[in-house]
Amino acid sequence: MSVTARERLIVALDLPRLSAAEAMVERLGDSVVFYKIGYQLLFDRGLPFAEALVRAGKQVFLDLKLHDIGNTVANGVAQAAGLGVSFLTVHGYPQTMRAAVEGRRGSGLRLLAVTVLTSYDDADLAAAGYATGVKDLAARRAEQAREIGMDGLVCSPEEAAGLRRLVGPDMALVTPGIRPSGAEAGDQKRVMTPTRAIAAGADYLVVGRPILDADDPRAAAEAILAEIAKAQGR
Ligand code: C5P
């Protein structure tokens, strides 16, 4: 990958209010160029904020995990592509992924598939009516994502090495669950340091609380960037 360490760090703006997100972006300054916006901020003027970030030269990952009938997904993705954001997540159902690829046609939007939610285990899948376990379903959906023309996958850092072997070098692997050495895991059950995640094949690291909750968020981000740069050899 030819991207710089700075372009590989995505800060998850999991904050309750727009004002808090604006203040965090201000504090992080030019140390962070890529932000993830999810439901929480979306419902407090998150979309105009995403557009403002794009105008300010930042990259934005809209983590909306879309899933609906194909026509609705295609139209929604086409609309999202017009916002100028870089990444958008959809659930890894073949029909949903095909519709998303159709909807983003002609735009620079990159589509990421969520294979199986990391809060699901085999019992949750069985309760939802699936006869397949998490591991097999995730692998199957990863292969389908590649065949359909999705650009990448969201996965835990522990899955990265296996998925890299499965889908090859061209798909972007985006990993949450990153904790610098010595940091609290919070509710993340499977965590990895930035160094190990990069070594496992992750292209982009999504980091929330270790930066948002730090006394000095900018210093925390810079420390992670230094680890990424070291891991990728520059
Ligand atoms: O605070 P923390 O670094 O754990 O934040 C990780 C971010 O990645 C959160 O926005 C969380 O919703 C998201 N995420 C995750 N696990 C997934 C998919 C997304 O932690 N499987």
Side-chain angles (χ1 to χ4, degrees):
M1 278 202 51
S2 60
V3 295
T4 63
R6 210 165 289 277
E7 289 167 304
R8 288 174 162 226
L9 173 64
I10 303 178
V11 173
L13 285 173
D14 298 327
L15 293 162
R17 308 229 45 96
L18 176 64
S19 54
E22 287 172 334
M24 183 55 65
V25 170
E26 182 73 30
R27 282 189 84 172
L28 291 170
D30 57 12
S31 61
V32 173
V33 299
F34 213 146
Y35 287 102
K36 181 169 93 71
I37 293 179
Y39 292 157
Q40 191 180 20
L41 201 52
L42 187 80
F43 296 126
D44 188 17
R45 295 159 286 168
L47 282 183
F49 182 56
E51 289 179 286
L53 286 175
V54 169
R55 279 196 300 277
K58 305 293 186 190
Q59 294 192 68
V60 174
F61 169 4
L62 281 185
D63 191 11
L64 304 186
K65 299 188 178 73
L66 301 179
H67 181 47
D68 206 314
I69 61 168
N71 184 58
T72 301
V73 170
N75 290 336
V77 170
Q79 197 85 326
L83 298 172
V85 299
S86 302
F87 286 169
L88 174 70
T89 40
V90 307
H91 280 281
Y93 291 78
Q95 186 186 102
T96 297
M97 295 192 286
R98 268 194 292 274
V101 167
E102 168 70 29
R104 71 90 189 266
R105 192 158 290 164
S107 79
L109 177 65
R110 299 179 78 198
L111 295 166
L112 306 177
V114 177
T115 54
V116 179
L117 290 167
T118 47
S119 58
Y120 275 53
D121 60 18
D122 289 351
D124 292 307
L125 282 181
Y130 289 85
T132 322
V134 169
K135 201 160 177 281
D136 289 346
L137 186 58
R140 181 163 159 185
R141 288 181 169 175
E143 285 184 319
Q144 288 168 328
R146 188 198 52 206
E147 282 158 15
I148 287 167
M150 296 286 289
D151 303 289
L153 304 168
V154 179
C155 62
S156 84
E158 288 181 351
E159 292 168 323
L163 285 174
R164 179 59 75 207
R165 280 192 294 276
L166 196 67
V167 300
D170 294 335
M171 290 190 93
L173 298 183
V174 180
T175 59
I178 300 297
R179 292 293 177 269
S181 339
E184 295 290 320
D187 63 352
Q188 296 281 16
K189 294 197 172 59
R190 293 169 293 153
V191 299
M192 251 191 212
T193 62
T195 308
R196 288 190 52 219
I198 297 283
D203 296 304
Y204 296 89
L205 310 185
V206 177
V207 184
R209 288 162 290 181
I211 291 176
L212 304 182
D213 296 347
D215 291 336
D216 184 344
R218 186 174 177 130
E222 292 290 353
I224 292 171
L225 287 169
E227 254 197 80
I228 297 174
K230 202 170 157 203
Q232 68 177 14
R234 72 193 146 88

